[in-house]
Amino acid sequence: MEQLKTIGRELAMGSQGGGWTGQSKEFLDLVKSIGEARSKAEEDRIILREIESLRRRIAEPDVPRRRMKEYIIRLVYAEMLGHDASFGYIHAVKMTHDDSLSLKRTGYLAVTLFLSDDHDLIILIVNTIQKDLRSDNYLIVCAALTAACKLINEETIPAVLPQVVDLLAHPKEAVRKKAVMALHRFYQRSPASVSHLISNFRKRLCDNDPGVMGATLCPLFDLITADVNSYKDLVISFVSILKQVAERRLPKAYDYHQMAAPFIQIKLLKILALLGSGDKQASGHIYNVLGDIFRKCESSSNIGNAVLYECICCVSSIYPNAKLLDAAAESTSKFLKACLLFSESHNLKYLGIDALGRLIKINPDVAEEHQLAVIDCLEDPDDTLKRKTFELLYKMTKSTNVEVIVDRMIDYMISINDNHYKTEIASRCVELAEQFAPSNQWFIQFSVSNNFTFQTMNKVFEHAGDLVNVRVAHNLMRLIAEGFGEDDEGADSQLRSSAVNSYLRILGEPKLPSLFLQVICWVLGEYGTADGKYSASYIIGKLCDVTEAHLCNDTVKAYAISAIMKICAFEIAAGRKVEMLPECQSLIDELSASHSTDLQQRAYELQALLCLHSQAVESVIPLDASCEDIEVDRNLSFLDSFVQQSIEKGARPYIPEIERSGMFSVSNYTSQHQHETSSHTLRFEAYELPKPSPTPAAPQISVSTRTTDLVPVPETTYYTENNQASKLQPVLDASSADHGIKLHLVGVQKKWGRPTYSASSSTTSSSEKKTNGVTHLDGVSLQSQGTLYDSKGQQSEKQKLAASLFGASAGKTEKKPTSTQRAPKANTATAERPGVARAVSPEISKQKAASSPPPDLLDLGEPISTTTPTIDPFEQLEGLIGPTPGPSTLDNSVTTSEQKAPDLMALYTDTPPSSSSSISSGLGDLHSADKNSPMAKNVPSIKKGPNPQDSLQKDATARHVGVTPTGNNPNLFRDLLG
Amino acid sequence: MIRAVIVMNTQGKPRLLKFYEFQPPEKQQELTRSVFAVLSGRPDNVSNFVEADAIFGPVIFSSLLFVSFVAEITKKKKQEEFKEGTRLVYKHLATLYFVFVFDSCENELAMLDLIQVLVETLDRCFKNVCELDIVFNFNKIYNNQMKTTVFMYVELGSSYVQMHTILDEIIFGGQVLETSSERVLKAVEEISRLEKSSSSVSFVPKSVSGRFGR
């Protein structure tokens, strides 16, 4: 540093000789003084002075261009240090217009750093970018592409898109590469505007420059993430590329630290992990090359480990293969055991823990041998590693070890300051406590687990009260009110009195989170006097203290006053006299004059209640009725006699809103909107008009009767997919999509295209069933609803099964350690019972996934229904029942998805026999018509494709592409599939 | 996707900031400060990774967006995947922190190596990467000073620009573009060669005459 300063000084002296370079000397001085600034304030002073002088000078007329360049750079520098340089933006924009490469590049650099993509000045740059993209100088093109990437927004994409697409065929590979990336960026910004160009990515995959190919993997990765099924056909291509890379067929220049193009390998592995996930057939292609990489990979270099780690991720994501899993487990243990061998052992441990977390989902036994390593990581000073380990623990939590893990988590939670992570870990604790406690239905476990959950929640509240979700508080209240089972009132009341005891104790603490106070108030109000241990006045006194001591917000006050009201009510109902404590009276007075109307009302209610007769009070606030459902008499039947009397006295009868003429009733409209499931009135008729448009959408279909059959059903299909959504929306969707096809609006079509196709084709299958009779809309919808309920029933049955499994395993854990100190042992104990673990863990993941029951139905349902219309339904369905691969790849517990699949299949297998005779002719037409269509070239690919479902899916998408003639498709498919 | 590249010194002063999703200057400062707060609290000999969800929040501009037109359920799943998982990898060299911030679509170790690529390239381009080199290439200028004073100061500003150039050759729009420092170097040299030739033709006379005119 000292030396550098000297150099700087010498420089400064040296430049004094040439006075005409003064400008740059200033810049040099600036940077030097910034570097030497002792404090932030000093730095700010310097920069502000600098900005002032720049503001003055940059506005001078006729600044030489090169000097302007320097000003701009100084502005960039000033802005990097956090100061506003917006006055110079326009000059940076002007600089991009310059002819000189160096100035243009500086201009582009400055604008990309200065401007957001919705800045007003962007419009001035678009034109320049357009021009530069056509430049002969490839460096200018590159600079323009870089700027386009950062600055072009959704609206301006069309302006530069043609040029960028042209650049995909540029002779310089550097330009091609950047053009692919720019197109990718456009896609990220607005998928619709470039969706018709997606085939270009596939084409560039075959570029003869490996760099361009590597660049193409980025957009393809994103595309595949969004929609796996359309790209299943590329599995073989990707595998062969990966193989070539791994076998070092690429030029030496792509080697990095003795690894062959590791970044390309990593990207490919990520893509294959997506494509192979839950797909046995696709995974089959991948196994070999993964095995090769495992064998060849150097684990001595950083990048080698990166590839290995990616391999493990891939293995854990695709359809499981025992051999590969072993290899992955072995590499994982290498990571974990990398203690002193490498200087960066922590990085490897981190990856090892992460990999373990992935493998454990497939095979819970993997963790067994690494118990100690995991515990080590938990004790590690490295925070990142610790968190990763907690994540792992969270994943491997079972009813047997939940106490230890949650204890650990809470200890850690208390020790950290990071609010974000505190929240996360608190919610995890609560989740685990909620998830595991109720599953312990065993009598002996009962109170223990109750108390455990309760204590966990209390701790969480005490230490992270302000951070947890309100829902958690409500859950806690419900837990105390309901207990865990109906069988054992004794345990429940025990829990309640222990809750009251501990809360009364906790109230003594100086500072409590408001959410926790709310819970305390509620519990005291509800159960404070229940066991007769504390007198009403004692509890009321405490509650009054709450409002005073914790200068709290209105919500807590409201809770407190309600609690007081409840206690008074219980007392009055029990026939005892309530004597008003002075502090309570003053509280009521205070609140009745409160600014909050809510508090006022509560206070007045309390006062009114005190004057009521004991019987009336009892019916107003019954004892321990918090869990009872309040039945609302919607028809207000108790008023009937009163109404009758009035009418007899000559009052006019009430006319319902609907029957009043000449009035548009909003409420009627909305209520109907909700009940549309069964009744279709206004709404449907209005939207039925555009529906015949499917006919033009599939012009090859000659049988017109069939197409009219298609018409009414789409909304029901949607309805099954999207249980909760209102039905209005889907109708809109369907019709707009149809229009899209008719008009050849590229963006719209792509966006809505797939659902339309699948929907209409599934329509065929469901309406076919009805061809014997009349196509009853209601019938179909009812039927599909039935399907839904069936699967829901299954779901709840599974949950029951899970619960019983948990119970069984919990029975074995009576001797489990409860203290934190014995944590390692406890974990080992868990691992020693692999049988239990294996039985339980799929169910755990099941339970975790249970929050979203519709997916399975959707995922499996969609491809099946797509199948029916295109090819002979019999063969197709038979084929499907066999493999049941399904794109429900999301669920990592493969067993579950397999269990579920046959049932759903069964539902569908009912369909064809009844309909076969009547459909077959129509289907034949469909099929042959399909062959005549421009996409008939796809047929070979269907045959080649390993999985009938996938290829059909692909066919469906391909047909979209086919409708918009990009002209490149035939070549593309030939390229890719040989 | 890579979300940001931050180079700062061990006092937390930024030396190079590059955000691949637009952040206003104030936000950039705030992010840099929070990153520094995390890094400065980390002991030596720990891993180079930090989970940065708390600092950078959900991914604004990533694969999330495409998911919009896929089936509802896939969307949910993806959001779960992408929402969290912003991480950063850092490398502590001399008086500098090199920090890459990225989302769950990238491999941590690979990012660590990418930092290595960046540093190697800078090293080869500027001969010695130390703090001041990030803004100015003092050594190089010192040598050049003996030859031509005029070019020296042109160089001065350029080296800051050149850092950006190098970075642009390695990362493009948040994606890894090039991982061989040799090829990056070649590209950068090509750029400066062409820049010089074009500026010597069209520029020096004008600016010189402009100065003499004073």
Side-chain angles (χ1 to χ4, degrees):
Chain A
M1 193 66 196
E2 205 43 51
Q3 192 197 351
L4 281 170
K5 274 185 200 166
T6 346
I7 293 169
R9 228 162 277 140
E10 276 177 40
L11 255 181
M13 304 234 281
S15 60
Q16 275 169 358
W20 48 289
T21 53
Q23 297 296 333
S24 293
K25 182 182 163 295
E26 283 171 23
F27 190 19
L28 175 64
D29 284 344
L30 166 73
V31 174
K32 203 152 64 76
S33 52
I34 293 280
E36 289 169 357
R38 299 250 170 256
S39 67
K40 178 79 185 144
E42 192 181 340
E43 185 190 296
D44 282 350
R45 235 183 0 261
I46 296 168
I47 277 291
L48 282 176
R49 208 181 321 129
E50 166 76 5
I51 284 185
E52 268 322 301
S53 88
L54 278 177
R55 192 198 298 275
R56 211 176 47 248
R57 286 191 209 178
I58 215 164
E60 279 172 15
D62 202 24
V63 181
R65 285 187 293 174
R66 194 207 274 162
R67 189 165 295 175
M68 184 58 98
K69 173 183 166 185
E70 201 204 283
Y71 289 156
I72 298 285
I73 295 172
R74 283 156 78 168
L75 279 177
V76 171
Y77 187 75
E79 189 154 291
M80 183 189 76
L81 293 171
H83 295 266
D84 178 44
S86 51
F87 62 88
Y89 290 177
I90 185 69
H91 297 281
V93 172
K94 260 192 234 158
M95 189 157 274
T96 62
H97 303 330
D98 205 289
D99 290 328
S100 134
L101 174 65
S102 132
L103 290 197
K104 196 181 261 304
R105 281 177 45 82
T106 309
Y108 274 135
L109 172 69
V111 288
T112 52
L113 292 171
F114 284 151
L115 304 182
S116 70
D117 67 350
D118 51 0
H119 197 278
D120 296 338
L121 293 175
I122 293 292
I123 206 73
L124 298 176
I125 305 173
V126 173
N127 205 11
T128 323
I129 292 181
Q130 244 176 339
K131 204 178 81 224
D132 289 344
L133 285 176
R134 280 192 294 257
S135 165
D136 292 336
N137 186 342
Y138 84 98
L139 287 175
I140 290 185
V141 176
C142 283
L145 277 173
T146 313
C149 229
K150 187 80 194 286
L151 299 176
I152 295 294
N153 58 22
E154 198 171 344
E155 287 156 34
T156 40
I157 283 175
V160 295
L161 195 57
Q163 282 93 325
V164 174
V165 173
D166 287 347
L167 290 176
L168 287 174
H170 197 276
K172 277 265 182 193
E173 75 273 353
V175 177
R176 287 206 298 275
K177 214 153 58 167
K178 286 181 178 170
V180 168
M181 297 283 207
L183 212 53
H184 176 205
R185 189 72 164 180
F186 293 162
Y187 188 75
Q188 284 181 321
R189 263 178 213 218
S190 153
S193 59
V194 288
S195 59
H196 58 292
L197 295 169
I198 286 170
S199 60
N200 280 307
F201 292 136
R202 283 169 176 252
K203 219 183 334 170
R204 279 299 128 213
L205 196 59
C206 310
D207 197 289
N208 45 21
D209 182 76
V212 182
M213 185 271 293
T216 320
L217 295 177
C218 301
L220 280 174
F221 174 73
D222 279 347
L223 285 166
I224 292 171
T225 315
D227 175 17
V228 180
N229 291 321
S230 320
Y231 296 89
K232 293 275 188 188
D233 59 317
L234 288 176
V235 171
I236 297 172
S237 318
F238 285 134
V239 167
S240 80
I241 294 172
L242 183 56
K243 201 168 218 145
Q244 287 176 33
V245 174
E247 284 168 2
R248 296 180 174 274
R249 302 264 198 82
L250 292 189
K252 270 272 173 284
Y254 288 89
D255 282 9
Y256 177 81
H257 290 213
Q258 281 93 49
M259 282 289 292
F263 286 86
I264 292 180
Q265 286 194 43
I266 287 169
K267 209 79 209 176
L268 278 167
L269 285 168
K270 277 189 185 292
I271 290 176
L272 288 177
L274 286 175
L275 286 171
S277 162
D279 183 341
K280 198 174 181 181
Q281 204 115 31
S283 305
H285 297 294
I286 306 172
Y287 291 151
N288 255 337
V289 72
L290 279 183
D292 282 355
I293 298 177
F294 267 125
R295 236 170 293 129
K296 281 184 196 158
C297 218
E298 275 287 328
S299 59
S300 56
S301 70
N302 195 24
I303 194 73
N305 285 318
V307 175
L308 262 185
Y309 165 73
E310 214 50 61
C311 270
I312 298 173
C313 294
C314 187
V315 166
S316 65
S317 158
I318 63 176
Y319 192 87
N321 170 296
K323 238 182 176 170
L324 286 178
L325 281 174
D326 285 349
E330 197 186 319
S331 308
T332 308
S333 57
K334 254 189 237 160
F335 285 158
L336 286 171
K337 283 172 189 155
C339 288
L340 299 163
L341 293 173
F342 305 105
S343 55
E344 283 161 347
S345 66
H346 274 89
N347 292 345
L348 293 183
K349 271 190 195 163
Y350 173 89
L351 292 186
I353 294 282
D354 187 77
L356 205 56
R358 289 165 192 271
L359 290 177
I360 215 166
K361 280 192 215 152
I362 299 171
N363 180 8
D365 301 350
V366 186
E368 200 176 327
E369 58 173 309
H370 303 300
Q371 294 292 330
L372 283 176
V374 171
I375 298 302
D376 273 354
C377 292
L378 212 52
E379 307 282 329
D380 203 275
D382 184 352
D383 221 35
T384 317
L385 193 53
K386 228 183 231 172
R387 289 180 188 188
K388 202 76 196 173
T389 315
F390 274 117
E391 210 169 281
L392 172 70
L393 289 182
Y394 170 74
K395 280 180 195 158
M396 55 190 264
T397 307
K398 306 185 205 36
S399 52
T400 44
N401 54 14
V402 61
E403 291 188 35
V404 187
I405 288 177
V406 171
D407 263 354
R408 281 274 168 153
M409 281 185 167
I410 289 177
D411 285 350
Y412 181 61
M413 183 185 79
I414 294 168
S415 74
I416 57 174
N417 297 319
D418 174 355
N419 270 357
H420 177 86
Y421 196 64
K422 220 170 185 168
T423 317
E424 195 181 309
I425 211 163
S427 65
R428 280 191 169 175
C429 287
V430 171
E431 190 188 320
L432 287 179
E434 281 177 352
Q435 190 187 346
F436 285 101
S439 66
N440 278 338
Q441 295 289 350
W442 286 83
F443 179 73
I444 310 164
Q445 288 291 307
F446 200 61
S447 56
V448 177
S449 77
N450 263 1
N451 283 331
F452 160 68
T453 310
F454 173 65
Q455 275 156 17
T456 303
M457 291 200 174
N458 282 353
K459 271 191 205 162
V460 170
F461 268 112
E462 251 185 278
H463 296 286
D466 293 324
L467 304 171
V468 286
N469 201 323
V470 186
R471 192 183 56 83
V472 176
H474 291 172
N475 280 353
L476 178 55
M477 292 185 214
R478 209 186 50 221
L479 178 112
I480 295 168
E482 289 181 348
F484 286 112
E486 298 75 26
D487 317 332
D488 186 33
E489 267 307 312
D492 282 356
S493 55
Q494 200 189 332
L495 171 73
R496 286 167 195 164
S497 56
S498 79
V500 171
N501 279 336
S502 55
Y503 283 157
L504 283 173
R505 200 183 59 243
I506 287 171
L507 272 184
E509 307 216 348
K511 197 167 178 293
L512 291 170
S514 108
L515 201 58
F516 195 36
L517 280 173
Q518 292 167 25
V519 176
I520 292 177
C521 287
W522 187 87
V523 171
L524 289 183
E526 203 67 43
Y527 302 110
T529 54
D531 61 351
K533 204 164 142 194
Y534 302 102
S535 72
S537 55
Y538 176 74
I539 300 284
I540 291 178
K542 279 285 180 188
L543 285 168
C544 292
D545 287 349
V546 168
T547 54
E548 275 168 33
H550 307 274
L551 288 171
C552 42
N553 54 23
D554 285 355
T555 327
V556 177
K557 277 185 185 154
Y559 267 92
I561 189 95
S562 301
I564 293 173
M565 179 150 61
K566 274 182 220 160
I567 289 171
C568 291
F570 298 155
E571 286 297 297
I572 294 171
R576 283 189 288 268
K577 181 94 184 72
V578 183
E579 77 253 36
M580 258 303 139
L581 297 172
E583 64 252 46
C584 181
Q585 194 56 53
S586 69
L587 176 69
I588 294 174
D589 293 344
E590 182 202 326
L591 292 190
S592 20
S594 164
H595 287 299
S596 154
T597 47
D598 178 51
L599 289 181
Q600 266 191 39
Q601 184 177 350
R602 282 171 202 266
Y604 282 119
E605 274 172 10
L606 174 55
Q607 277 173 332
L609 190 87
L610 291 173
C611 313
L612 284 177
H613 188 260
S614 74
Q615 266 177 338
V617 171
E618 196 174 358
S619 59
V620 173
I621 302 182
L623 189 64
D624 189 19
S626 59
C627 322
E628 255 126 70
D629 294 330
I630 296 172
E631 281 186 25
V632 178
D633 187 357
R634 275 174 202 275
N635 297 325
L636 306 178
S637 55
F638 58 91
L639 285 175
D640 280 353
S641 59
F642 176 73
V643 171
Q644 201 59 40
Q645 272 176 15
S646 314
I647 290 176
E648 275 162 19
K649 279 177 196 163
R652 288 173 59 195
Y654 174 74
I655 305 169
E657 270 181 302
I658 319 164
E659 289 164 32
R660 284 175 228 170
S661 56
M663 238 166 116
F664 179 75
S665 91
V666 178
S667 64
N668 183 30
Y669 169 83
T670 44
S671 73
Q672 221 162 39
H673 193 59
Q674 283 159 2
H675 296 294
E676 259 170 355
T677 332
S678 50
S679 69
H680 44 108
T681 45
L682 283 172
R683 292 268 92 193
F684 283 113
E685 283 155 22
Y687 283 98
E688 226 132 317
L689 271 179
K691 273 175 197 159
S693 53
T695 324
Q700 288 90 353
I701 302 175
S702 50
V703 192
S704 56
T705 46
R706 204 65 62 202
T707 40
T708 43
D709 281 354
L710 298 185
V711 172
V713 194
E715 63 248 21
T716 60
T717 330
Y718 269 97
Y719 186 67
T720 43
E721 286 175 10
N722 197 353
N723 187 14
Q724 302 296 336
S726 77
K727 289 178 68 183
L728 175 67
Q729 192 57 39
V731 183
L732 273 169
D733 289 354
S735 57
S736 67
D738 292 336
H739 280 306
I741 292 158
K742 219 161 61 180
L743 296 171
H744 287 259
L745 283 178
V746 181
V748 180
Q749 183 208 354
K750 179 62 194 169
K751 204 157 186 175
W752 300 108
R754 208 164 68 90
T756 320
Y757 272 99
S758 57
S760 61
S761 49
S762 68
T763 303
T764 353
S765 69
S766 44
S767 63
E768 275 154 10
K769 197 195 267 178
K770 298 283 166 189
T771 26
N772 323 18
V774 197
T775 39
H776 271 301
L777 211 164
D778 293 339
V780 177
S781 78
L782 267 178
Q783 193 245 341
S784 45
Q785 271 171 22
T787 320
L788 226 174
Y789 291 141
D790 271 7
S791 73
K792 265 192 182 166
Q794 265 178 321
Q795 200 71 34
S796 66
E797 244 178 58
K798 286 221 175 84
Q799 270 171 349
K800 264 183 207 157
L801 179 67
S804 60
L805 269 171
F806 281 130
S809 65
K812 296 185 188 172
T813 58
E814 284 165 24
K815 53 180 189 271
K816 73 185 161 209
T818 40
S819 73
T820 320
Q821 287 77 3
R822 276 191 284 168
K825 257 189 206 164
N827 277 328
T828 346
T830 318
E832 276 165 14
R833 270 185 239 108
V836 181
R838 213 178 295 144
V840 167
S841 73
E843 295 305 325
I844 296 172
S845 59
K846 188 80 252 331
Q847 248 201 1
K848 278 178 188 162
S851 54
S852 51
D856 300 305
L857 183 70
L858 169 72
D859 286 344
L860 290 166
E862 208 178 39
I864 295 163
S865 46
T866 328
T867 313
T868 342
T870 334
I871 300 178
D872 185 13
F874 284 152
E875 283 174 22
Q876 216 37 50
L877 280 164
E878 270 163 23
L880 284 179
I881 297 162
T884 63
S888 66
T889 61
L890 322 166
D891 208 337
N892 260 322
S893 61
V894 188
T895 41
T896 29
S897 72
E898 266 193 346
Q899 277 171 359
K900 200 163 298 166
D903 296 331
L904 278 167
M905 294 302 170
L907 281 171
Y908 277 90
T909 34
D910 292 342
T911 326
S914 63
S915 59
S916 58
S917 56
S918 55
I919 326 163
S920 52
S921 61
L923 277 178
D925 283 338
L926 242 172
H927 196 37
S928 59
D930 218 26
K931 278 200 171 161
N932 295 335
S933 77
M935 281 320 287
K937 275 143 198 143
N938 260 325
V939 176
S941 78
I942 292 173
K943 300 239 163 85
K944 261 192 181 174
N947 186 338
Q949 279 187 9
D950 301 335
S951 43
L952 282 165
Q953 193 83 35
K954 193 184 66 201
D955 182 46
T957 6
R959 269 192 287 165
H960 301 175
V961 187
V963 180
T964 19
T966 49
N968 300 324
N969 292 320
N971 291 336
L972 159 69
F973 279 102
R974 215 172 302 136
D975 281 358
L976 286 176
L977 298 161
Chain B
M1 168 179 165
I2 298 168
R3 300 180 69 184
V5 172
I6 300 171
V7 182
M8 59 185 162
N9 69 4
T10 36
Q11 273 99 53
K13 286 179 190 162
R15 285 295 167 252
L16 180 83
L17 298 180
K18 196 129 185 156
F19 288 82
Y20 290 95
E21 22 187 47
F22 180 79
Q23 306 279 8
E26 313 83 57
K27 182 77 182 161
Q28 293 187 5
Q29 294 306 308
E30 190 195 317
L31 292 175
T32 315
R33 270 197 301 275
S34 349
V35 168
F36 176 71
V38 172
L39 294 192
S40 58
R42 286 175 69 78
D44 293 341
N45 298 323
V46 294
S47 67
N48 300 72
F49 315 132
V50 177
E51 278 162 30
D53 280 331
I55 303 172
F56 286 87
V59 180
I60 308 160
F61 191 81
S62 173
S63 319
L64 246 183
L65 285 181
F66 321 122
V67 183
S68 58
F69 60 96
V70 193
E72 182 76 5
I73 175 60
T74 344
K75 179 168 159 190
K76 251 183 222 160
K77 175 78 185 170
K78 292 295 181 272
Q79 272 172 342
E80 269 161 33
E81 246 164 57
F82 287 111
K83 173 181 70 179
E84 306 278 297
T86 302
R87 286 158 293 176
L88 61 84
V89 158
Y90 69 97
K91 206 161 188 148
H92 186 173
L93 291 170
T95 55
L96 287 177
Y97 283 120
F98 288 79
V99 185
F100 280 27
V101 185
F102 51 93
D103 67 11
S104 57
C105 295
E106 305 286 343
N107 178 314
E108 287 100 330
L109 272 187
M111 286 298 117
L112 193 59
D113 267 61
L114 205 60
I115 294 184
Q116 188 61 37
V117 171
L118 173 66
V119 174
E120 256 172 45
T121 317
L122 291 177
D123 196 40
R124 288 165 80 164
C125 190
F126 298 129
K127 298 295 179 286
N128 174 28
V129 181
C130 62
E131 181 178 346
L132 287 165
D133 276 351
I134 294 302
V135 187
F136 283 145
N137 178 9
F138 267 99
N139 290 339
K140 198 169 176 182
I141 292 156
Y142 191 62
N143 295 337
N144 282 351
Q145 192 197 11
M146 305 303 151
K147 296 168 201 159
T148 44
T149 341
V150 183
F151 268 125
M152 181 182 99
Y153 290 110
V154 178
E155 282 286 307
L156 269 175
S158 304
S159 54
Y160 180 65
V161 175
Q162 195 149 3
M163 284 224 22
H164 277 283
T165 309
I166 291 170
L167 200 54
D168 282 344
E169 287 300 316
I170 296 175
I171 302 170
F172 186 89
Q175 302 287 348
V176 182
L177 181 73
E178 182 58 76
T179 52
S180 145
S181 62
E182 220 152 292
R183 275 196 306 265
V184 173
L185 213 57
K186 223 185 269 173
V188 172
E189 271 163 14
E190 176 86 359
I191 289 170
S192 47
R193 196 173 55 80
L194 281 173
E195 271 188 354
K196 247 175 231 164
S197 68
S198 79
S199 70
S200 59
V201 172
S202 64
F203 267 103
V204 174
K206 271 183 198 167
S207 49
V208 166
S209 65
R211 277 166 186 158
F212 279 138
R214 292 202 159 193

